[in-house]
Structure formats: C-alpha cells, structure tokens
Amino acid sequence: MFVTFITPAAWLRRLKVYQYGAQVYGTPDSITGPLILAGIVKRAGHHVEAYEELNGSFDYDRLLEKTDVLCLYTMTSNAPRAYELADLFHEKGHARVLIGGMHASAVPEEALAHADQVMVGEGENTILDVVEGRLTDPIVKCRPVCDLDSVPWPDYSVLKTPVKAANIMTSRGCPYRCSFCTTSRMFAPYRRRSVDSVIAEIKHYHRMGFEYMNFEDDNFTADKERAKEICRRIIDENLQFKETFFFGRTDMANDPELLDLLAKAHLNWVLIGIESLNQESLDTIDKHQSVEDIRRAGEACREHGIQLIASIVLGIDTDTHEDIMRAVQFAKDIDASKLQPAVLTPFPGTPVYEQYEREGRMLNEKEEDWEVFDMMNATFQPKHMSPWDLEMTFFDAANKFYDRKSAFRMGKLFGWRFGVTRYVLGILARLGRAATWEAGVLAPSSWYGKLRNAKWMFGDEKDERKRQRQVLGDDWMRAFQATVALMLPVLVAVGAHGRNSK
C-alpha cells in the first residue's frame, strides 16, 4: 500500500512570510510522532512518504492519485486544516483516512466526522493493525507504550519536506501537570528511556550528518541524575552538536554540576516556562515554582552561557497587563535571548478548558475556530482585560522585548548573529501587530474583528465605554503605525532599486 503521513499547518503558517519568520526564530525540525509511526509502517513493507506543511509545499495531485491510506496528525490549531485535507482525499482520492494526535485524542467524535478511523493516544502499538485493516473500530483507543526503549527512532528517510535539526524524545510526559498543559495528559504517566538507547540514537543522527539537535522532552532535566549521565556520555564520546535545544525548568539552577555538564555537552538553548512573576498566578496554574526560582534560573543560564528562551503566559486570571509587562522586563534584565509570549490557550481536555466552558468564557463557536488555538490568539474572556486587549498585549510583549536597544546588547554579549536575529524578530513582531490590527478593523467577520468588537464580560458599562473609547482613539495611531510598518519593506525595495539603477 501507498501510505502518506501529513502534518498539516494552518493557513497562516503556510504563508512564506511566516515560514521565513519561523526559520529566523529557530532551526526547522519535524514532529517525531508521525515519523516514528511512518517508520513502523515502512518496515512492514509498505511504501511510505511523510510531509510537513510548515516546512514546504508539495504535489497534492500526485498524493491524491497514489495514496491508499492517509494519516493526519492533529494539534488543536491545525485540526481544521487536517479536516479539510481529510475531506479532500475522500472527495477526490480513494484513500482511507486516519486521524490521530493530541487534538483528535481529546475530541475523537469531532475528528471522526472527517475520518474513517480516529486513533486516540500513543499509536506505536496499534498503527500497523489499523493501517492493514485488522483493527476496524471507528475510534481506536491505543495502549500506551510501557518500554520506551522498544519504540523505534523517527525515520527521516521517508520525510519529503526539508529539516535541519533532528529531534529526540528521551522521555514521555512530565512529573508536573500545569493546568493548561496537554502533553502531560496525552503522555501520562511519566516514562524514561535508558541512557544507552538515547546515546545510540544521538550517534545515528551524527552519522546522518545533522548539525543541530532538539531534545523534545517536556522537561529534559526532570530526572537530573539521568540528564547528567546523558551529558557525560555526550562529552566523553564527543557527540556534541553545533547547537542543542531542550526544555527545562527553573529547578535546574539548583544543581551547579548539571549546569556545567549541560554547557559542556553543547545543550546551549533552553526554553524555561517563567510564566509569571506573580506568585498567586504561578500557584493558580499549578506551576510548582517560586519567583525566586525564576530569578536564580535566569542568572544561572547567563553564567553558564546557555541561551535562554523565556516563556511567559498571558491572560492568567490573577495577572494584569502590568504583571505581564513586568515579566517581559525581567526577561530582558536577565539577558534572555528570545521571548516566547504565549497567550493562555484552553486546549480541549485540560482543566482550564473545562473550567472556562463551565463559566461561559470560551469564544470559539464552530469547528473552524480551532485554528486560532495556537498560543498567539485570545480565545476566551480574560478577567483583567478585554479579549482584544489581551490580543494586543501579545504584541506589546513582543515589541517591548525585541527592541533595537536589546538587539545591540545581544550582539555585544553573544555576537553579531544574535543581535541581527533579535532585530529581525522585532521587525516581524511589529509587522504582525500591524497586520492583526488591520484585520480587526477591516475584516469584522474575521477572528480579529470578532475580538475587537467582543463585549468584555467582566467589565461594567463604564469599563465598556472606556474600552470603546480606547479602541477608537487608538485607531488613528495604529493606522499610522500599521501603514508605516507594512510600507517599510516596499520603501526599502524602492530605495535599493534606485541605488542599483544609478
């Protein structure tokens, strides 16, 4: 059989300008799950091809003609695109359509309206039986993998869209269960691979010629002694990559030996969830960390030369706009290389989604609305600001962090490449704000138009009148900023053409 695996991307992420921004922000990689499943199917003797829409375009007419089984991976934001592709292959092709992933696992009945079968949970133990027709249940509840060493590595030979970084998952799940987190529920309980298994996979990617690598564990340093042993093996066997990214927590700062080993093993990029500098907010989302832990982690990363990506959550019930801006300033003060402002997003299957549904605070009304559930958009009624204010706060945070002054500081501290990256990200953040504002004003039927015009359920009439005045009063200023931001590339191009024509 001809089996095709596709990881869809929402329309925004298929735009060339977005893909360029993603490449500036980080090294292109591929989601590991579909490549693991694709490898299992390939070794069973089937022809397998895998594609990621985020990383490039491809010939759908050819796939419609040839594909016998289509496997689609869903996260919440790409679910509408997955359903669109499923319907397309049903209408114009002959493929049997399977849908899996985190979103489908949370709402399998919804996904089944577009699929022949839906796979819920971890698919390694069941993918072959479903593809080859031995399991025919409409909703297949997959058994979790107990022994992670038995899971084959991702098969990059079937991937037809380009990547530059190899991904490794050395564990599944997380000992912590933040109230907004989906992966700690999809991959429960927390399990780990042996160090020997991890090192063997790292050697495999070196032989393949990868220069960049990502540890995709929710929390690579959750088991600190195991993380130390992996780092020692990387150092002793000279298995460092040019750059290696991992997810960590603030508690890694409590172990100086771990920090030394991470730096020597070239684990030189870490994303840490700062989330908030408001202790009440940290307790609300079950973060299990203190503000002092955050400060210590920032200092420790800087001292060890580990580039920090600071992640903050926008829209927690106990946070105000001032709290958010304070967290952004803190990220600048500790010389974080990048900021990941993440709008609190109530994903299906999480406690926060269930709470907001009960309270009538969710803004999504139809299936297509899942596309904005990407941590860049307001999808609910916040308590301390309107939905539109929360949307604009996302850009306020990015613009405050990626300013010109901090770009020069990054260049001075870490080299010109880091400074240029910071500066370009600042330009893209301003373009994003301009485009979002224009969509809110000029396209009232769009999601942004809906946010801009949505009444704030936690505001009284006085608050609503004040909000409307602010929105209308801001329009002239934002119109000027939007016009300048969107015209800047055109003016630069015209100027360059004038110089070249002389």
Side-chain angles (χ1 to χ4, degrees), residues 19 26 38 65 80 93 123 135 141 160 172 175 254 289 308 332 338 346 358 399 438 480:
Q19 293 177 352
E65 178 185 348
L135 276 176
K141 295 185 177 179
K160 306 303 179 183
R172 288 189 181 177
N254 301 329
Q289 70 185 22
L308 172 62
K332 293 177 69 175
K338 296 176 184 175
R358 288 194 306 270
N399 292 342
E438 287 203 341
F480 175 75

Side-chain angles (χ1 to χ4, degrees), residues 184-329:
S184 61
R185 289 164 176 84
M186 168 85 172
F187 297 109
Y190 176 59
R191 291 147 289 159
R192 292 154 289 189
R193 289 168 59 186
S194 69
V195 173
D196 286 341
S197 172
V198 173
I199 295 300
E201 186 175 358
I202 291 174
K203 290 179 178 178
H204 172 65
Y205 294 136
H206 271 286
R207 289 192 295 269
M208 290 182 65
F210 280 106
E211 294 183 333
Y212 302 90
M213 194 260 284
N214 302 320
F215 283 116
E216 287 297 292
D217 309 50
D218 284 339
N219 182 3
F220 177 72
T221 58
D223 184 337
K224 294 180 179 55
E225 294 307 314
R226 176 175 166 277
K228 289 179 189 178
E229 183 57 28
I230 291 172
C231 289
R232 290 191 191 99
R233 292 282 299 275
I234 290 173
I235 297 164
D236 293 343
E237 300 182 39
N238 195 28
L239 296 174
Q240 293 94 333
F241 291 84
K242 183 181 292 185
E243 290 182 356
T244 300
F245 166 87
F246 68 102
F247 293 93
R249 278 180 62 90
T250 56
D251 59 3
M252 61 188 263
N254 301 329
D255 194 326
E257 182 187 20
L258 173 62
L259 291 164
D260 288 337
L261 289 169
L262 289 168
K264 291 176 182 176
H266 286 191
L267 272 71
N268 42 15
W269 281 96
V270 62
L271 187 147
I272 294 180
I274 291 174
E275 319 307 16
S276 173
L277 292 187
N278 182 343
Q279 188 61 54
E280 184 181 3
S281 298
L282 294 173
D283 294 341
T284 296
I285 61 175
D286 298 326
K287 189 64 185 178
H288 302 286
Q289 70 185 22
S290 68
V291 174
E292 183 54 36
D293 293 334
I294 297 170
R295 297 187 189 281
R296 193 162 51 246
E299 293 171 0
C301 288
R302 181 171 53 193
E303 290 170 1
H304 287 81
I306 299 173
Q307 302 291 330
L308 172 62
I309 303 173
S311 176
I312 61 174
V313 176
L314 318 180
I316 301 172
D317 278 351
T318 45
D319 270 353
T320 63
H321 183 274
E322 290 71 25
D323 290 320
I324 293 169
M325 291 300 110
R326 189 160 54 93
V328 175
Q329 185 60 50

Side-chain angles (χ1 to χ4, degrees), residues 9-173:
W11 72 270
L12 175 64
R13 285 164 169 74
R14 299 198 302 276
L15 296 177
K16 292 299 182 184
V17 65
Y18 184 93
Q19 293 177 352
Y20 170 73
Q23 290 178 20
V24 172
Y25 186 82
T27 307
D29 61 349
S30 181
I31 295 174
T32 57
L35 294 185
I36 292 172
L37 302 182
I40 293 172
V41 175
K42 177 189 171 185
R43 283 186 289 276
H46 302 285
H47 178 86
V48 178
E49 296 181 5
Y51 299 86
E52 292 219 4
E53 286 195 313
L54 178 61
N55 294 330
S57 57
F58 39 92
D59 186 354
Y60 269 110
D61 289 337
R62 172 180 170 271
L63 294 179
L64 283 166
E65 178 185 348
K66 292 184 173 296
T67 302
D68 299 308
V69 179
L70 174 66
C71 302
L72 295 166
Y73 177 83
T74 60
M75 296 173 286
T76 299
S77 64
N78 75 2
R81 174 60 174 171
Y83 299 158
E84 178 186 343
L85 291 176
D87 295 343
L88 174 68
F89 274 77
H90 277 142
E91 178 185 349
K92 296 188 176 181
H94 63 276
R96 185 159 49 95
V97 177
L98 313 179
I99 296 182
M102 284 188 283
H103 185 77
S105 294
V107 288
E109 291 82 6
E110 173 190 284
L112 189 60
H114 304 272
D116 296 288
Q117 289 177 280
V118 175
M119 297 179 64
V120 175
E122 301 172 34
E124 288 87 355
N125 288 326
T126 51
I127 182 64
L128 203 55
D129 287 331
V130 175
V131 166
E132 294 181 343
R134 288 184 292 276
L135 276 176
T136 58
D137 296 341
I139 296 177
V140 179
K141 295 185 177 179
C142 306
R143 304 186 308 277
V145 179
C146 297
D147 177 16
L148 293 187
D149 283 2
S150 68
V151 175
W153 306 330
D155 188 342
Y156 284 90
S157 71
V158 302
L159 184 62
K160 306 303 179 183
T161 42
V163 293
K164 291 185 177 179
N167 286 351
I168 296 180
M169 291 187 70
T170 80
S171 64
R172 288 189 181 177

